[in-house]
Amino acid sequence: MALKVTDENYKDLLDGEKLVVLDFWAEWCGPCRMVGPIIDELATEYESRVEIGKVDVDDNNDIVVEYGIRNIPTVLFFKGSKLVDKQIGAAGKEVFKEKIDKLLQEDGFA
């Protein structure tokens, strides 16, 4: 299951050693409901290697503003607190897996 990421805990999460994947979503967003289960599956599959979390845009204005989230779903990928990739809009599981695997390979963690 993906972590619940909030305005209060996201900076600590981004300061960690692992690749971080954040899904920006809202309950009322249809495409977000399609991506949500994929994010949860990936959180289980990559549990020991990648921190994967969900950010409810309706409850966490600080992080939404900081990263300029204007469309949801938006999935951001971070390494060492730096934004290194993103996916705006719904996508299939393979798209996310390819991005994660590529970023892990770059660091020699694959």
Side-chain angles (χ1 to χ4, degrees):
M1 194 72 149
L3 302 168
K4 181 178 180 182
V5 179
T6 66
D7 284 342
E8 289 75 35
N9 70 5
Y10 79 94
K11 289 185 181 183
D12 291 336
L13 183 64
L14 294 180
D15 286 340
E17 297 291 319
K18 293 181 182 178
L19 173 66
V20 176
V21 178
L22 297 181
D23 171 27
F24 291 80
W25 70 285
E27 187 68 39
W28 48 265
C29 167
C32 297
R33 288 194 298 266
M34 294 184 325
V35 170
I38 294 169
I39 296 298
D40 286 332
E41 287 175 24
L42 293 171
T44 300
E45 290 176 29
Y46 290 93
E47 184 175 3
S48 63
R49 299 184 293 159
V50 180
E51 295 287 357
I52 299 178
K54 294 181 177 182
V55 180
D56 185 333
V57 299
D58 290 332
D59 296 334
N60 298 286
N61 194 52
D62 293 348
I63 187 172
V64 168
V65 169
E66 183 170 342
Y67 291 101
I69 303 302
R70 291 189 170 87
N71 301 303
I72 54 174
T74 291
V75 179
L76 301 182
F77 299 79
F78 297 88
K79 286 166 58 175
S81 297
K82 292 186 169 88
L83 179 63
V84 294
D85 201 355
K86 63 182 155 185
Q87 172 65 44
I88 299 173
K93 184 176 181 179
E94 285 306 311
V95 171
F96 296 110
K97 284 182 66 89
E98 285 176 22
K99 288 178 179 287
I100 291 169
D101 290 342
K102 179 182 176 215
L103 291 167
L104 288 173
Q105 283 180 340
E106 289 174 1
D107 284 343
F109 295 121

